[in-house]
């Protein structure tokens, strides 16, 4: 039976009751779960004795207040997915409990966070790293699962865990795509029909193109505005703006 926990104090008391030899698998999310999240949760369930999901729409990683306001809150549906997958605990903390310091203490990374997404979204990675550090310290997971779709985020979390000697193994999980090849994202649900057609086109371009020039040409031909198209760590990464929705994707270069 999946147990929903809102109180951090209650979670900490419960965490102390776990057997030292129990492995704990953890998936941190902002909710509005889809099959990409389900793949992470399924792996956490299979590889560990105890599985934990967190749902927290983190205000500190949104540099656009409207984006935060529009982010879908679907707790009831998210709990149904967690229950169906047999997840043991779902933590939904309140912001004032997770930030008792009113965000005075922050995690700043000085190199990777200033590339790619960091250029267009100042402060985003500071907010992300700060909340992930808090959650990792609370859950004390054996393994934590992150999707490769947010590749820059994944590398930053790996680096933070190594830098601060956190005893949690970060498991990278492959991007899950829809039948149209579009990388699964909570933002996809906000696309209208015409925007969805462009988003699917963007995904096909990502898979077809193996260079920045070819992808830029592809996007320009299909009138898809892009923020960046770059190669980094043997990956082709891109961010596009479709209507009011920002989509990112990356593929490994063969």
């Amino acid at each position: 039976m999946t147990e929903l926990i809102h109180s951090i104090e209650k979670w900490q008391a419960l965490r102390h009751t776990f057997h030292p030899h129990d492995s704990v698998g953890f998936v941190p999310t902002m909710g509005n779960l889809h099959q990409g999240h389900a793949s992470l949760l399924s792996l956490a369930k299979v590889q560990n004795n105890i599985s934990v999901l967190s749902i927290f729409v983190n205000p500190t990683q949104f540099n656009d207040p409207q984006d935060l306001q529009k982010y879908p809150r679907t707790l009831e549906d998210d709990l149904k997915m967690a229950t169906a997958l047999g997840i043991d605990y779902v933590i939904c903390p309140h912001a004032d409990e997770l930030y008792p310091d009113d965000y005075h203490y922050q995690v700043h990374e000085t190199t990777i966070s200033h590339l790619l997404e960091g250029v267009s979204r100042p402060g985003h990675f500071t907010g992300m790293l700060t909340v992930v550090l808090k959650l990792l310290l609370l859950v004390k997971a054996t393994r934590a699962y992150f999707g490769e779709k947010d590749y820059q985020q994944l590398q930053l979390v790996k680096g933070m865990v190594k830098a601060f000697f956190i005893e949690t193994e970060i498991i990278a999980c492959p991007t899950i795509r829809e039948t149209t090849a579009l990388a699964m994202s909570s933002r996809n649900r906000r696309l209208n029909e015409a925007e969805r057609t462009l988003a699917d086109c963007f995904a096909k371009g990502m898979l077809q193109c193996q260079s920045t020039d070819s992808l830029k040409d592809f996007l320009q031909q299909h009138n898809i505005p892009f923020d960046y198209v770059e190669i980094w760590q043997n990956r082709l990464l891109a961010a596009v703006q479709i209507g009011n929705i920002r989509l990112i994707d990356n593929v490994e270069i063969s």
Side-chain angles (χ1 to χ4, degrees):
M1 181 72 177
T2 301
E3 183 175 353
L4 174 62
I5 300 171
H6 288 289
S7 165
I8 287 179
E9 184 179 358
K10 179 179 178 181
W11 165 256
Q12 289 175 312
L14 178 64
R15 183 63 181 85
H16 286 305
T17 67
F18 291 2
H19 193 282
H21 296 302
D22 280 338
S23 61
V24 178
F26 176 45
V27 180
T29 79
M30 293 204 297
N32 195 25
L33 304 182
H34 50 66
Q35 288 306 306
H37 295 114
S39 69
L40 306 182
L41 292 166
S42 297
L43 194 57
K45 179 70 176 177
V46 168
Q47 293 186 344
N48 302 278
N49 304 113
I50 298 170
S51 52
V52 180
L53 161 69
S54 70
I55 297 174
F56 178 67
V57 182
N58 179 34
T60 67
Q61 67 188 70
F62 286 85
N63 55 310
D64 182 352
Q66 289 188 346
D67 204 17
L68 171 61
Q69 186 178 4
K70 292 178 181 177
Y71 194 89
R73 275 77 166 177
T74 56
L75 181 58
E76 185 176 344
D77 289 339
D78 296 344
L79 290 175
K80 287 179 181 177
M81 177 183 284
T83 301
L85 293 170
I87 301 305
D88 297 301
Y89 301 101
V90 177
I91 306 172
C92 296
H94 300 292
D96 57 349
E97 276 200 274
L98 204 50
Y99 288 104
D101 60 324
D102 201 25
Y103 197 43
H104 292 164
Y105 292 86
Q106 304 173 6
V107 178
H108 292 271
E109 193 278 340
T110 60
T111 305
I112 296 175
S113 62
H114 295 281
L115 308 173
L116 302 165
E117 286 295 291
V119 175
S120 300
R121 303 179 68 187
H124 165 70
F125 286 126
T126 294
M128 180 277 293
L129 288 172
T130 302
V131 79
V132 169
L133 178 61
K134 287 171 178 279
L135 291 169
L136 290 176
L137 292 173
L138 283 169
V139 176
K140 297 180 173 62
T142 312
R143 303 175 185 90
Y145 299 80
F146 291 81
E148 291 183 339
K149 186 251 178 186
D150 294 297
Y151 188 74
Q152 190 177 4
Q153 170 180 278
L154 170 65
Q155 301 312 310
L156 283 164
V157 170
K158 282 184 173 181
M160 179 180 68
V161 165
K162 182 177 181 180
F164 290 106
F165 311 104
I166 299 171
E167 296 182 355
T168 297
E169 180 184 4
I170 303 300
I171 307 295
C173 301
T175 300
I176 304 299
R177 297 183 179 274
E178 301 187 23
T179 55
T180 59
L182 181 62
M184 289 190 174
S185 168
S186 299
R187 295 174 184 266
N188 295 351
R189 299 177 184 178
R190 292 168 52 192
L191 298 166
N192 62 34
E193 186 175 350
E195 292 168 344
R196 178 55 194 256
T197 299
L198 285 177
D200 291 340
C201 184
F202 164 53
K204 290 174 183 176
M206 287 295 305
L207 297 181
Q208 291 173 7
C209 301
Q210 285 286 301
S211 71
T212 55
D213 287 343
S214 61
L215 181 55
K216 287 178 181 179
D217 288 343
F218 179 93
L219 295 174
Q220 288 169 346
Q221 289 170 12
H222 292 87
N223 297 313
I224 301 175
F226 59 87
D227 185 1
Y228 61 79
V229 173
E230 294 187 32
I231 290 177
W232 182 65
Q233 294 192 359
N234 203 43
R235 295 246 171 184
L236 179 63
L237 301 98
V240 300
Q241 190 74 30
I242 297 179
N244 293 321
I245 311 301
R246 177 186 176 86
L247 298 177
I248 63 172
D249 201 350
N250 72 89
V251 294
E252 189 173 8
I253 298 174
S254 59

